[in-house]
Amino acid sequence: ASQASGASSRYKIRWKVVNPDQDRLRYRLRFRADGQALRRAMFTEDTTLTATTYNWETGGVPDGWYRIEVEASDELDNPEDHSIRAATESEPVLIDNHAPRIEGLRFSRGEVSGRVRDAVGPISRLEYAVDGGAWRQLHSEDGILDTAEESFRFGPLRLEPGSHIIAVRAADHGANQITAELEAVFR
């Protein structure tokens, strides 16, 4: 059995402006996937954004790297033919709304092994718990969590004879996490 949970799909955007004449400014925000030319609006033209922050709901875009364009306009205080617009684009930002997957979770001879994969990575945390106990840190087989795919192996576990539930929990850099468990019989 496995259960996925995740961080918020809202990405907070903040920017600073230099506005020497103190005109009221209106902002338009657009985004594009890194490597694409087409910019898409984050909200409709009838929205008038005047704050220098915006919570972008990213649940409707695929995981990946994006660039955000902020356009500022002083059209609220000036006639159309005298208003000024300026835009700037961000460095790439990572949108990651999906939890990694735990694959091949198995128990053999007192050891637990498996693999964690994420669409964009990297995997940032691995833990395990036995019978609902405290979570314990787990290392990848190569000793460092730094890629979108990590293999793990731990044990041998020495538990009382009988059935035990061993859970493995993994999280990616976007704070999305998943838990998978298996039942192991000790003799």
Side-chain angles (χ1 to χ4, degrees):
S2 65
Q3 175 187 7
S5 68
S8 172
S9 61
R10 292 192 180 270
Y11 187 90
K12 186 161 191 152
I13 304 166
R14 292 177 219 172
W15 60 94
K16 293 181 181 181
V17 295
V18 176
N19 184 10
D21 62 5
Q22 298 299 308
D23 284 344
R24 289 180 301 149
L25 298 178
R26 176 185 183 181
Y27 303 101
R28 291 174 178 86
L29 302 178
R30 298 175 193 89
F31 69 97
R32 67 179 177 89
D34 209 21
Q36 291 181 342
L38 179 66
R39 289 180 178 85
R40 296 173 271 174
M42 286 189 194
F43 46 81
T44 60
E45 184 60 28
D46 63 342
T47 300
T48 302
L49 178 65
T50 58
T52 57
T53 62
Y54 183 75
N55 288 320
W56 180 25
E57 175 50 58
T58 61
V61 299
D63 290 353
W65 291 95
Y66 290 85
R67 292 181 185 259
I68 299 167
E69 179 186 75
V70 177
E71 178 188 279
S73 168
D74 64 359
E75 66 194 67
L76 299 175
D77 283 346
N78 294 289
E80 186 176 334
D81 59 339
H82 287 84
S83 67
I84 299 171
R85 290 183 183 212
T88 190
E89 187 174 72
S90 73
E91 293 294 317
V93 295
L94 177 62
I95 301 301
D96 183 0
N97 294 320
H98 297 90
R101 297 180 318 274
I102 297 175
E103 301 172 342
L105 186 60
R106 56 176 273 193
F107 175 77
S108 177
R109 296 185 176 153
E111 289 190 341
V112 178
S113 62
R115 182 176 43 258
V116 180
R117 292 181 195 231
D118 190 61
V120 291
I123 303 302
S124 63
R125 188 179 72 230
L126 275 172
E127 300 170 300
Y128 77 96
V130 177
D131 294 334
W135 289 99
R136 296 180 178 141
Q137 185 174 354
L138 177 59
H139 295 285
S140 63
E141 282 191 311
D142 69 0
I144 185 167
L145 298 174
D146 61 348
T147 62
E149 182 177 335
E150 298 285 354
S151 295
F152 60 87
R153 177 179 306 277
F154 62 96
L157 298 174
R158 290 172 175 64
L159 301 173
E160 295 293 320
S163 290
H164 296 275
I165 301 296
I166 301 168
V168 174
R169 181 167 65 184
D172 64 17
H173 187 68
N176 304 296
Q177 69 180 22
I178 190 166
T179 302
E181 60 185 29
L182 58 78
E183 185 173 6
V185 178
F186 286 76
R187 304 200 190 283

